[in-house]
Amino acid sequence: GYQELEKIELVYKELPGWDEDITEVKKFDKLPKNCQQYLKFIEKFLKVPVKLISTGPAREEYIGQ
């Protein structure tokens, strides 16, 4: 309930973005450096690995393990 929400601590972290089109990218190391750093931040902060990265709206536009 609402009591649980009172325990939540908001964390706002601003990271550099990227302008490059990533819809054709199929490998993590081909993503823009800022995108790679963003994904690594998510993994480190949440302590879980990112297994699937959507690179566009089409079903085949993803990077996965």
Side-chain angles (χ1 to χ4, degrees):
Y2 291 111
Q3 295 161 341
E4 293 297 317
L5 291 176
E6 291 175 359
K7 298 177 186 176
I8 294 174
E9 178 185 346
L10 178 62
V11 175
Y12 180 80
K13 177 77 173 167
E14 191 170 328
L15 300 169
W18 59 94
D19 293 325
E20 297 90 340
D21 179 6
I22 62 171
T23 56
E24 300 296 321
V25 177
K26 296 296 179 196
K27 294 186 178 185
F28 179 85
D29 62 350
K30 299 297 183 189
L31 289 168
K33 292 298 178 199
N34 285 347
C35 182
Q36 291 179 31
Q37 291 171 349
Y38 170 73
L39 294 165
K40 288 176 185 176
F41 171 81
I42 290 172
E43 288 183 323
K44 184 177 178 183
F45 186 80
L46 297 178
K47 298 179 180 126
V48 296
V50 172
K51 298 286 188 178
L52 183 70
I53 304 162
S54 178
T55 58
R59 179 174 284 175
E60 65 277 0
E61 294 172 340
Y62 72 92
I63 299 171
Q65 296 181 1

